[in-house]
Amino acid sequence: QVQLVESGGGLVQPGGSLRLSCAASGSIFSISSMGWYRQAPGKQRELVARVFSGSGGSTVYADSVKGRFTISRDNARNVYLQMNSLKPEDTALYYCNARTTMSGLTDYWGQGTQVTVSS
């Protein structure tokens, strides 16, 4: 089991920045990748960014955030999402995700943190 706790959401004006943090606990040795998803009202949850464990720490980003958002991981426990040049369409509930693959693929989710971009 993996537990995830997010922090760092809030209200920001268009063009501003926010940094989301996620702390993992539990069976962190089993995590193969961590990521951030978001869900806006009336829309499906979508991948924002993912970072893979291991040397190099390769990343993937949604096209809509490339060049503006950066995912990083400083150890096996913590993952961050630096969000710059925020737009109103980035408004959503952001969820931290941890994925394990030791016994099949299992996704773990945080409780979510609200990001609102508005003037």
Side-chain angles (χ1 to χ4, degrees):
Q1 295 286 328
V2 175
Q3 296 79 43
L4 303 169
V5 178
E6 304 109 330
S7 61
L11 173 65
V12 64
Q13 292 186 340
S17 298
L18 279 176
R19 189 186 196 212
L20 305 183
S21 301
C22 175
S25 60
S27 302
I28 60 172
F29 63 90
S30 65
I31 296 174
S32 61
S33 67
M34 296 187 74
W36 289 94
Y37 286 70
R38 67 186 181 187
Q39 188 168 18
K43 295 188 177 181
Q44 290 188 333
R45 189 175 298 188
E46 63 176 0
L47 173 69
V48 176
R50 179 171 294 283
V51 57
F52 292 86
S53 301
S55 61
S58 61
T59 56
V60 294
Y61 292 92
D63 287 343
S64 59
V65 306
K66 284 181 180 176
R68 300 189 298 123
F69 291 10
T70 302
I71 190 169
S72 61
R73 195 173 172 189
D74 62 2
N75 52 40
R77 295 184 181 275
N78 301 320
V79 65
Y80 307 95
L81 186 68
Q82 178 66 44
M83 304 185 293
N84 299 327
S85 302
L86 282 160
K87 305 175 181 180
E89 51 262 44
D90 294 318
T91 296
L93 191 59
Y94 282 70
Y95 294 92
C96 180
N97 167 270
R99 180 165 291 173
T100 66
T101 56
M102 290 183 65
S103 300
L105 191 153
T106 303
D107 281 320
Y108 296 91
W109 299 94
Q111 79 285 357
T113 185
Q114 179 67 37
V115 172
T116 302
V117 185
S118 175
S119 56

